[in-house]
Amino acid sequence: MYNKINIGLIGFGTIGSCVAEVLMERRGLLLKRSGIDFNLSLVCDKDLSSKRGVNIPKSMLTKDADRVINSPDIHIVVELIGGIHPAKEIVMKALSKGKHVVTANKLLLASEGVDILQKAGELNREIYFEASVAGGVPIIKAIREGMVGNRFSSVFGILNGTSNYILSSMSSEGSSFKTALKEAQSKGYAEKLPSLDIKGLDSSHKLAILSLLAFGKRVDLKDIYVEGIEDISNFDIQYAKELGYVVKLLAIAKRYGDELEVRVHPTLLPSEYLLSSVSGAYNAIYIEADLVGKQLFYGLGAGKLPTANAVVSDIVDIGHKIIRGENSAGSVIPKNTEIKRLRKMDEVVTRYYAHFSAIDKPGVLANIADLLGRHNISIASVVQKERSKAHIVPIIMLTHEAKELDMRAALSKINKLAAIKKRSIVIRMEK
Ligand code: HSE
């Protein structure tokens, strides 16, 4: 039997051209492994003149997305233009025209995912989006299929390759933030707007997608607490290291009964944790669920090859379904979530690393400790460094678990002390 699936690609940028190259170069391999001939038939982009390093015959190129969507021969439309508009309109239109869709668009899925999945379900079409979270790590497949029978209690990890690359370079090479960001950009990890990476927004988009899949909970992006890595200095990375911790940007979703906590922020992790050794552009997702227990998924989370790999894998999955004539079970989202409420950030309980910059004189440490104590915050350890020329000393404290609301109240009072000379730095900890 001869099975041929035609693919229309919309978005011929870095990822799009890599997907095109893989589909063409590995057509024979994919046919051998899947029994399906995946034929790239049309490629659309508004810019058809820039060089991409991949040879596409002119007859296959178009500037008109409608030509791809309306083409009766195309089975799967691959959307790789990014952003919400016109990507949403393209995806919705493609579904209405009976196409199955593959997308890598994390912002689109995080903000409009429920509408899109519902539409796909109603129309009995597939929408796959493995490339939207953690690049080459098949975490979406693992949650939707490999762990489909589980109740999840935690899904968290390192979801932004650029930030992880920056923090790792600062930690191991002593690089400056700026230099490390430039390197991440030159390696093709960063978003067009790198602020999305370093401000934690890209991680929050991915966390919203994982929360929907693992907890069945539609989480509005505005309800995710997000803090980026811009305030993390080489000093704090080094102090943390001396105390046996590393700093990572974590995206965290934790369930407590029928409540869910969703937050993205720099976090101190004990150096011996597996997540702590995830460096460079690598991502890792740690999962706790009732049947599988604890699992860690690890791999390259950014870069064109791992991302193109995820897109191609989705195309092949859909190809199999088309050939078998299956319904769109993969697009169905859980209708009844057990989550009734999202916890407010004020209610979150964590340990804290705090870095106070204080004048070195009698009573300052006691004042800080007193204010923390008055807000129910118990100190686990304190390090005071030697006096510098400026008479400002860094006081580093690790606390026991405390409520965010209490920590904020204590901090605002500490920052007002006459002996405190710079805004205090506070980083949350995971154990
Ligand atoms: N800019 C993203 C990152 C690309 O650094 O992780 C992958 O989504």
Side-chain angles (χ1 to χ4, degrees), residues 156-158 164 246 248 250 269-279 283-286 296-297:
F156 69 86
I158 297 166
N164 201 48
V246 295
K248 293 287 177 197
L250 286 198
L269 287 175
S271 321
E272 68 272 15
Y273 278 22
L274 278 174
L275 269 182
S276 303
S277 49
V278 174
S279 56
N283 282 192
I285 302 102
Y286 171 78
L296 186 70
F297 296 81

Side-chain angles (χ1 to χ4, degrees), residues 106 159-162 189-191 197 202 206 301-302:
K106 45 215 163 166
L159 297 181
N160 184 263
T162 303
Y189 303 144
E191 298 299 304
D197 298 298
D202 177 77
K206 294 165 177 168

Side-chain angles (χ1 to χ4, degrees), residues 13 44 59 71 108-110 118 121 134 145 158 169 200 230 232 234 279 287 289 310 327 334 337 339 357 368:
C44 168
S59 59
S71 164
L108 178 66
L109 290 156
Q118 262 160 5
E145 298 175 27
I158 297 166
S169 305
E230 297 143 296
I232 302 296
N234 294 71
S279 56
I287 285 187
N327 285 339
T337 174
I339 305 298
S357 298
I368 296 173

